[in-house]
Amino acid sequence: MSIDAIIKEFNKYNQSENEANLIRRAFELARTAHEGQKRKGGEPYITHPLSVGLTLAKMRLDAATIAAGLLHDTVEDCGVPLSEIEKKFGTDIAFLVDGVTKVGHIRYRGAEKQIENLRKMFLAMARDIRVVLIKLADRHHNMQTLDALPPDKRRRIALETAEIYAPIAHRLGIGELRGQLEDLAFKHIHPKEYEWVLKNIGEKYQEREDYLKKLIPFLISELNRDGIEPIEIQYRAKHYYSLYKKLLKYDMNFDRIYDLAACRILVPSVEKCYGVLGTIHRLWKPLPGMIKDYIAMPKPNGYKSLHTTVFCVNGKIMEFQIRTPEMHQENEYGIAAHFAYKENTAKPNAEELTWVKQLREWQKESQNPDEVLENLKIDFFKRRIFVLTPRGEVMDLPEESTPVDFAYQVHSELGDQCVGAKVNNKIAPLDYKLKSGDIVEILTQKNKKPSASWLEFVKTSEARKKIKNAVNKKERNISVEPQKKNQPIELKITTQDRVGLLKDITKAVASFKINILNVNMDNKSGAFPIIAVSIVPKDKAQLERLIVKIKQIKGVLEISSKA
Ligand code: MN
């Protein structure tokens, strides 16, 4: 494979010499960057970005997306600085490459209940639909070369593909890619079943193919009689994985799979689609309940077609799919198809899943390609972030949520007892603003009570409500009620054990010229000793400044005060 194949594909829908040159320049950088690198299977690394670029060109995507596809591994795998890509190719392409790199860090962790959230996280982190498309093309090639990897890695990647990537392709309406991703994963997830399907399908498929070859000339003449000139009649084998799933439903009986080699009829208009349906039903009796009008009522992912299953010649049961070329293009390439069709007339459907609906919102308004590009940013997740528990469960939270919000989301007890947090394995303050993809671990302490100061930074109403409840129950707190002058105050400081910590705390108190009446250290809880310091501050303002200062001391997790 070479860059010429990509340019040739690109020129089929875009003749701009400038844009073709952009793709060539991206290829040159990728080639230099990957020089000497090999894929696990031994072939030169550049074959991988080339394959990704070709897939994107076949989807008829814009030059920037293809260029980013060619460059997608140069930052992560070759250490090319993102700034260099930005300098040479502009912010748009740099943004795409960066997005692909970030999304690449999402891992399927086998937490089944969380898969839907993982998919959302994927889309939220991608930020731009083109990043998703590049990642799908990337995964498509990686799946084709999966045999070069060790078995445990193969299985994890195959599961990730089947559970995350294929469903996203499906939701975006990219039927062909979804089918291929599933088939490639099927082989590794259920190798025995895959072998079985492969062994048994050959003959059955051949039988259907021979049958259809004889049928098509007759069908064409009958359509002509009704004044219909089909643009194309094609038949193609069902994807293995969807076939396997169907077989499971029908006692593994091939004779009950009527769309094993469905016959596809492409005609120029919607009216003609219904015309074809009439011709077929005039010739052959339809099976009850098997007429599907996905033109009037498209599938939630936008799939449009007429389906009918009839008792065909010699009583053979056969499925026909009738559609226009535009519908066909959309069914195969989904959201990506809209780059090719500048004057698209796609209308959104009412029953779409909400987030797919939002995702597709842009396509109903956008008429010109520039506007389409502008609208490709996935901003419907802008107000949400997706973070992970250490076990890989995904939590869906509002933007700017903190570890305290996260803790309450997991469990109210975890929230109440939270004293600290680790974000991506590093200690982070409780008011840390979490980002999508962060792995959050909450450090707890038994019998710990929430602090009223948390109310200043929590984002979720659940956390707010629970903190308020707990605070109302417990002793009066400085941020709720001002202290009387010259009254002794006890500070309770939850800490991480560290040499010199106590000294740092007393030094901080002394720096305010505040007298310490008493210091107590409760070490019962092990990892999180509580230091109790009795002091007499001048006034509330001074006390608050002292608390801020103590909070900044390394090892101090939480601080509360009472009179
Ligand atoms: Mn890659």
Side-chain angles (χ1 to χ4, degrees):
M1 190 204 302
S2 73
I3 185 66
D4 297 335
I6 296 176
I7 299 294
K8 198 176 146 204
E9 198 65 44
F10 181 71
N11 282 336
K12 285 185 190 167
Y13 59 95
N14 189 329
Q15 284 79 44
S16 158
E17 195 48 42
N18 271 346
E19 292 185 27
N21 278 337
L22 175 74
I23 296 171
R24 281 203 188 89
R25 282 201 296 124
F27 166 70
E28 287 308 327
L29 196 151
R31 187 168 63 176
T32 317
H34 291 296
E35 188 77 68
Q37 290 180 350
K38 293 255 189 286
R39 294 280 289 170
K40 284 273 156 45
E43 61 280 24
Y45 198 93
I46 193 69
T47 55
H48 170 64
L50 277 173
S51 163
V52 171
L54 187 62
T55 305
L56 295 168
K58 281 184 180 161
M59 288 167 129
R60 311 201 150 202
L61 296 174
D62 65 319
T65 309
I66 297 169
L70 287 165
L71 294 167
H72 82 273
D73 277 332
T74 57
V75 172
E76 181 107 310
D77 296 350
C78 315
V80 173
L82 197 63
S83 57
E84 186 184 332
I85 297 199
E86 189 173 334
K87 216 171 80 199
K88 289 184 175 155
F89 298 98
T91 49
D92 193 35
I93 291 177
F95 168 82
L96 294 176
V97 172
D98 189 41
V100 174
T101 308
K102 283 184 181 145
V103 164
H105 296 145
I106 298 174
R107 288 278 169 276
Y108 173 74
R109 288 156 212 270
E112 297 207 3
K113 276 180 251 158
Q114 298 295 325
I115 286 169
E116 182 60 22
N117 274 343
L118 214 52
R119 290 174 197 140
K120 285 186 193 166
M121 179 167 85
F122 183 96
L123 290 171
M125 282 179 75
R127 308 276 301 274
D128 186 308
I129 197 67
R130 291 173 296 169
V131 170
V132 179
L133 297 172
I134 297 169
K135 206 56 211 165
L136 288 172
D138 175 44
R139 182 50 63 104
H140 183 240
H141 185 249
N142 284 339
M143 288 304 292
Q144 287 172 299
T145 52
L146 200 60
D147 286 321
L149 296 183
D152 57 323
K153 232 179 165 179
R154 254 184 265 165
R155 195 179 151 76
R156 181 190 63 78
I157 294 173
L159 277 170
E160 201 171 88
T161 303
E163 298 292 357
I164 312 292
Y165 287 78
I168 286 175
H170 174 57
R171 299 271 176 90
L172 299 179
I174 315 171
E176 183 50 30
L177 197 55
R178 176 234 184 160
Q180 289 187 22
L181 286 171
E182 279 184 346
D183 281 0
L184 289 161
F186 180 33
K187 185 177 149 191
H188 297 280
I189 300 170
H190 305 290
K192 283 200 193 98
E193 291 82 349
Y194 177 80
E195 285 301 321
W196 183 86
V197 170
L198 216 59
K199 214 177 83 195
N200 288 281
I201 196 178
E203 196 181 309
K204 301 276 173 199
Y205 180 68
Q206 192 58 49
E207 187 186 300
R208 299 282 171 107
E209 196 179 340
D210 293 344
Y211 176 84
L212 275 167
K213 267 185 193 154
K214 275 184 245 156
L215 182 78
I216 287 171
F218 169 69
L219 180 61
I220 291 176
S221 70
E222 287 298 315
L223 287 170
N224 291 344
R225 229 186 82 183
D226 290 344
I228 299 164
E229 296 276 347
I231 296 170
E232 198 183 337
I233 298 186
Q234 36 171 260
Y235 48 87
R236 52 166 308 159
K238 198 172 174 59
H239 282 291
Y240 295 152
Y241 187 61
S242 65
L243 170 66
Y244 171 69
K245 279 193 296 192
K246 218 167 188 176
L247 280 166
L248 286 176
K249 265 201 331 216
Y250 295 108
D251 311 320
M252 304 315 266
N253 184 351
F254 276 99
D255 293 332
R256 295 182 62 189
I257 312 295
Y258 307 135
D259 58 349
L260 189 61
C263 184
R264 249 174 222 167
I265 304 164
L266 303 187
V267 286
S269 67
V270 171
E271 292 70 30
K272 298 280 181 199
C273 289
Y274 290 102
V276 173
L277 189 72
T279 304
I280 290 171
H281 287 176
R282 171 171 67 73
L283 295 168
W284 306 295
K285 212 185 209 2
L287 262 72
M290 295 291 280
I291 308 165
K292 307 266 168 64
D293 187 347
Y294 297 122
I295 293 178
M297 283 171 292
K299 287 190 184 181
N301 67 358
Y303 178 90
K304 288 192 198 99
S305 190
L306 291 177
H307 289 192
T308 185
T309 305
V310 299
F311 296 99
C312 205
V313 174
N314 298 330
K316 207 150 183 77
I317 297 171
M318 183 59 66
E319 181 177 307
F320 291 92
Q321 303 176 349
I322 310 152
R323 55 183 74 163
T324 65
E326 289 80 8
M327 289 176 202
H328 183 61
Q329 179 82 10
E330 275 188 55
N331 296 344
E332 299 275 296
Y333 294 117
I335 212 153
H338 295 270
F339 287 92
Y341 286 90
K342 288 174 188 170
E343 53 287 300
N344 85 76
T345 50
K347 290 193 182 67
N349 7 95
E351 282 114 82
E352 281 179 343
L353 298 169
T354 350
W355 63 275
V356 174
K357 193 170 154 191
Q358 287 167 311
L359 187 59
R360 287 188 150 240
E361 206 55 32
W362 61 271
Q363 65 187 54
K364 73 170 174 188
E365 282 138 33
S366 311
Q367 297 292 324
N368 79 61
D370 290 341
E371 212 181 326
V372 170
L373 282 178
E374 244 331 282
N375 285 311
L376 284 174
K377 303 271 183 285
I378 309 170
D379 57 0
F380 53 93
F381 287 136
K382 218 162 52 186
R383 315 235 158 264
R384 306 300 294 176
I385 56 164
F386 299 89
V387 296
L388 298 151
T389 70
R391 284 185 310 180
E393 287 155 300
V394 183
M395 294 292 146
D396 174 356
L397 291 163
E399 206 176 36
E400 302 207 313
S401 284
T402 65
V404 174
D405 294 293
F406 170 86
Y408 277 108
Q409 181 98 342
V410 175
H411 199 280
S412 65
E413 211 165 81
L414 190 69
D416 286 347
Q417 301 185 351
C418 136
V419 287
K422 278 183 169 178
V423 176
N424 303 327
N425 249 334
K426 272 197 236 124
I427 295 282
L430 286 177
D431 60 356
Y432 180 84
K433 295 204 182 346
L434 297 168
K435 291 186 297 296
S436 271
D438 281 345
I439 300 169
V440 188
E441 187 182 344
I442 296 297
L443 310 171
T444 59
Q445 184 207 317
K446 269 230 167 81
N447 303 322
K448 164 84 175 49
K449 294 279 182 289
S451 154
S453 63
W454 293 354
L455 292 169
E456 286 159 30
F457 58 74
V458 290
K459 282 283 172 295
T460 54
S461 51
E462 285 144 296
R464 187 167 298 278
K465 211 170 77 195
K466 279 167 188 159
I467 296 165
K468 274 186 179 159
N469 282 343
V471 167
N472 286 342
K473 268 189 239 159
K474 100 179 179 186
E475 317 88 336
R476 272 184 273 158
N477 188 300
I478 46 134
S479 57
V480 178
E481 192 153 317
Q483 300 302 316
K484 277 182 209 134
K485 227 180 167 181
N486 294 330
Q487 209 182 340
I489 300 283
E490 189 187 53
L491 298 177
K492 271 196 165 180
I493 309 166
T494 309
T495 65
Q496 268 192 317
D497 209 359
R498 157 171 96 76
V499 178
L501 178 64
L502 190 59
K503 207 176 127 201
D504 288 348
I505 292 171
T506 53
K507 246 165 86 184
V509 178
S511 75
F512 282 87
K513 302 202 164 53
I514 297 174
N515 283 332
I516 298 175
L517 302 179
N518 189 25
V519 177
N520 243 315
M521 193 146 156
D522 169 7
N523 213 352
K524 279 191 297 253
S525 56
F528 305 108
I530 296 172
I531 298 171
V533 186
S534 295
I535 52 165
V536 186
K538 204 169 81 200
D539 52 26
K540 193 191 162 211
Q542 190 193 39
L543 176 64
E544 281 177 349
R545 285 203 308 278
L546 173 63
I547 288 174
V548 169
K549 181 145 190 182
I550 294 175
K551 265 189 177 170
Q552 286 164 351
I553 297 171
K554 191 177 154 237
V556 171
L557 300 170
E558 262 298 304
I559 178 163
S560 68
S561 68
K562 66 168 183 176

